[in-house]
Amino acid sequence: MIYNRADWLAAKRRRVLLFGMSGLGKTYLASMLRAGGAGAGGGGWFHYSVDYRIGTRYMGEHIADNFKREAMKVPFLRELLMSDSVYIASNITFDNLAPLSTYLGKPGDPDKGGLAFGEYQRRQDQHREAEKAALRDTRPFIERAGAIYDLPHFVCDSGGSICEVVDPDDPADPILTRLSEDLLMVWIEGSDAHTDELVRRFDRAPKPMYYQPGFLARMWEGYRAERGLSEAQVDPDDFVRWTYRQALDHRQPRYAAMARNWGVSVRAEDVALVRDEKDFTSLIAAALPA
């Protein structure tokens, strides 16, 4: 780790990467730190969102092309597109990643908005490579934050699937090695109650997400075998609901290994109490070895 407790408290430039399940406070903390500005007490945080980087730099063209394919099905829009009379682009933001998740999609019955499983796998593969590239981009963004914006502190808001694209038990994992050289890796650890609430929230509004290929294959075969369905008969929302809790259980030990081997952990209930940079600094200091 790049800090012990004393180093962290005395640091003029603090750099952290937040990881864990989506919905437990990564973006809340990063946005809070960014909004704090360069006021009294140090301030000045650069917020690097991995998902935003994926959706703009690495999958932006895929997302826009998907919009265009749908627009071409509408005669009125087709004519305008063919004559370059309209421009279609993604309006992705830190707080609205819907264009990226919509492109990822869900597998199953096309009449219910599902993708053919082969196409779904192709998009999953694109996301995996994009996420790896976006994580590798963290270092140059740390340099840009200081050189261009003169911001001393840096927070990387990683996606929930970071644990799926690295090997946390491999001491030579290239992405984790590079990240841990530049930032303090901080796991926001949820309780069983948090997991239950995330599942309830997901059931109300099931969203696309990235899965590790081997895990996805097991879930797809297991779901279809249990329901007795062909690929085209799968209800996309039912499949992702069925898979979600198992995906969280799959990720939990991988997050734990990342914290154990590469960083520290903080509790989600403590994150919820953080209101400013001072609270955040104290929270991380308590998690670090003396």
Side-chain angles (χ1 to χ4, degrees):
M1 288 185 290
I2 64 173
Y3 305 107
N4 59 31
R5 187 175 303 156
D7 291 338
W8 168 259
L9 291 172
K12 301 299 182 183
R13 296 181 179 273
R14 297 187 176 110
R15 303 192 299 270
V16 297
L17 180 146
L18 305 173
F19 67 93
M21 297 177 188
S22 296
L24 292 185
K26 299 189 302 293
T27 300
Y28 163 72
L29 286 179
S31 298
M32 180 272 296
L33 291 169
R34 181 185 75 237
W45 286 81
F46 186 95
H47 176 186
Y48 177 65
S49 167
V50 169
D51 282 339
Y52 180 79
R53 181 69 170 168
I54 291 170
T56 52
R57 172 63 176 85
Y58 292 106
M59 295 187 70
E61 287 189 7
H62 299 315
I63 293 168
D65 285 349
N66 194 45
F67 293 162
K68 292 172 185 175
R69 274 191 292 271
E70 292 303 311
M72 288 289 284
K73 298 175 184 178
V74 179
F76 175 72
L77 293 177
R78 178 185 176 89
E79 182 178 344
L80 292 172
L81 279 172
M82 294 297 290
S83 61
D84 290 329
S85 299
V86 294
Y87 175 74
I88 295 179
S90 164
N91 191 29
I92 194 168
T93 68
F94 285 7
D95 298 315
N96 181 13
L97 299 166
L100 176 58
S101 62
T102 298
Y103 176 73
L104 271 181
K106 307 165 192 173
D109 185 349
D111 291 336
K112 296 181 178 179
L115 294 169
F117 192 65
E119 173 62 16
Y120 180 70
Q121 288 178 303
R122 188 179 73 86
R123 297 186 187 194
Q124 290 272 306
D125 291 343
Q126 289 173 342
H127 189 282
R128 181 177 63 254
E129 296 309 310
E131 184 161 7
K132 289 180 179 180
L135 288 167
R136 288 192 292 266
D137 284 347
T138 304
R139 179 175 291 174
F141 268 87
I142 291 173
E143 296 168 354
R144 292 176 68 183
I148 298 175
Y149 303 105
D150 196 27
L151 294 175
H153 309 308
F154 187 96
V155 55
C156 176
D157 174 10
S158 72
S161 54
I162 182 175
C163 66
E164 307 281 24
V165 300
V166 298
D167 183 351
D169 289 313
D170 179 3
D173 183 89
I175 292 176
L176 289 175
T177 297
R178 179 164 172 154
L179 291 172
S180 65
E181 290 171 351
D182 296 334
L183 309 101
L184 176 67
M185 310 276 288
V186 179
W187 177 30
I188 301 178
E189 181 180 3
S191 64
D192 289 342
H194 286 114
T195 301
D196 291 341
E197 175 55 29
L198 290 176
V199 171
R200 285 191 291 271
R201 193 184 307 171
F202 192 87
D203 280 346
R204 291 193 296 270
K207 298 179 180 178
M209 59 188 290
Y210 172 78
Y211 307 101
Q212 194 179 58
F215 173 82
L216 173 61
R218 292 194 302 275
M219 294 301 100
W220 184 243
E221 293 303 321
Y223 174 86
R224 290 173 52 223
E226 181 180 296
R227 300 287 202 272
L229 300 174
S230 68
E231 291 190 3
Q233 292 174 320
V234 170
D235 182 311
D237 283 345
D238 190 57
F239 170 71
V240 297
R241 285 191 179 102
W242 185 86
T243 302
Y244 184 68
R245 181 62 184 249
Q246 297 175 81
L248 297 188
D249 291 342
H250 169 74
R251 288 181 176 183
Q252 190 74 1
R254 299 181 69 84
Y255 291 139
M258 286 176 64
R260 181 176 63 250
N261 298 328
W262 301 91
V264 298
S265 64
V266 296
R267 300 188 309 168
E269 51 262 45
D270 294 329
V271 166
L273 300 175
V274 172
R275 292 294 176 265
D276 54 29
E277 182 180 3
K278 182 178 178 181
D279 289 348
F280 178 76
T281 301
S282 298
L283 177 69
I284 301 303
L288 286 166

